[in-house]
Amino acid sequence: MAKGAWNRDAGRAGEETRMELVSAATRLFGAKGFEATSTREIAAEANANIASIAYHFGGKDGLRMACAEMAAEQISRVIGEVVLKSDPQGDPEQALKIIETAIAAALGFLLGQDRARDLAAFILGEVARPGEVFERLYGQVFQPVHSRMCRLMGVATGRDPEDEIIRLGVFTIVGQVLYFRLGAHIVARRMEWETFGPDEIASIREVVVGNIRAFAAANKTGAGS
């Protein structure tokens, strides 16, 4: 084999190992917590040599940050692209549709993708203990996406996007979506669903979109006056 081809193959294998380690660490950190998870466990889960953690990430802390970067990338790909790059051009109805599209995408990912469970558990764990990783997630994802959704809801309602009611309202919208992931077993049991398939996700989406529209209508400038 030519030297260049060998280097490419080695590089590809190294990247695959790196991704397997990030995936395994995200799963274990979410399930057990960062402190309770050993590098030996992560390496075994990823079917990798324990030394590869130091090689690729410099250690367990570096791997944790890589997990956060992966989480930020996933969220940005699913919801951030829609929210951050769409312009309603001052149209209240279009602003609502952008929010609804983003929320529908988030529901589809969180309920329709197996890896989303691990991702949500990892993020929840980091949110519960603010630190460097939380700051990275907040700066790259939480703050910009929430702020942009507030601006969209401001267009939809005619209110200042930094009004307390708008900021809290956006949190309630996002919270609904997260609950269906974090409380998936409760929801499935109470609804007597065996799984979250396309029909079940569509039913959830219809209710959440209805709640978004109800919030916008109730808080529209001049509503109830």
Side-chain angles (χ1 to χ4, degrees), residues 60-195:
K60 189 178 169 185
D61 286 330
L63 177 54
R64 182 186 191 183
M65 188 60 72
C67 292
E69 291 170 355
M70 182 273 290
E73 180 184 343
Q74 290 275 3
I75 296 171
S76 296
R77 185 182 303 128
V78 172
I79 188 173
E81 291 292 314
V82 176
V83 170
L84 297 175
K85 295 186 177 180
S86 299
D87 182 3
Q89 298 184 334
D91 183 341
E93 181 62 24
Q94 185 61 26
L96 273 180
K97 287 182 178 178
I98 293 170
I99 294 174
E100 291 164 9
T101 298
I103 292 302
L107 280 169
F109 172 70
L110 288 172
L111 298 179
Q113 301 288 332
D114 290 339
R115 68 182 185 278
R117 177 186 57 202
D118 300 327
L119 192 69
F122 170 77
I123 291 173
L124 184 65
E126 294 301 335
V127 169
R129 49 175 182 274
E132 184 181 1
V133 173
F134 168 79
E135 291 300 330
R136 177 72 63 88
L137 289 170
Y138 184 83
Q140 289 188 357
V141 180
F142 302 151
Q143 193 278 333
V145 170
H146 184 270
S147 294
R148 180 58 178 166
M149 287 186 69
C150 286
R151 288 198 290 274
L152 290 167
M153 189 57 78
V155 172
T157 60
R159 288 179 176 268
D160 182 341
E162 288 300 302
D163 273 0
E164 183 178 84
I165 191 67
I166 296 298
R167 286 181 289 160
L168 289 175
V170 169
F171 276 125
T172 65
I173 291 168
V174 175
Q176 291 176 73
V177 176
L178 291 176
Y179 179 80
F180 282 109
R181 175 62 271 168
L182 298 174
H185 293 303
I186 298 172
V187 174
R189 183 168 179 176
R190 183 67 181 90
M191 296 303 297
E192 299 181 351
W193 291 342
E194 292 185 4
T195 186

Side-chain angles (χ1 to χ4, degrees), residues 18 21-22 34 39 42 49-66:
R18 187 181 189 281
L21 287 167
V22 170
F34 176 75
T39 53
I42 296 169
N49 189 304
I50 192 171
S52 61
I53 294 176
Y55 176 79
H56 287 287
F57 308 101
K60 189 178 169 185
D61 286 330
L63 177 54
R64 182 186 191 183
M65 188 60 72

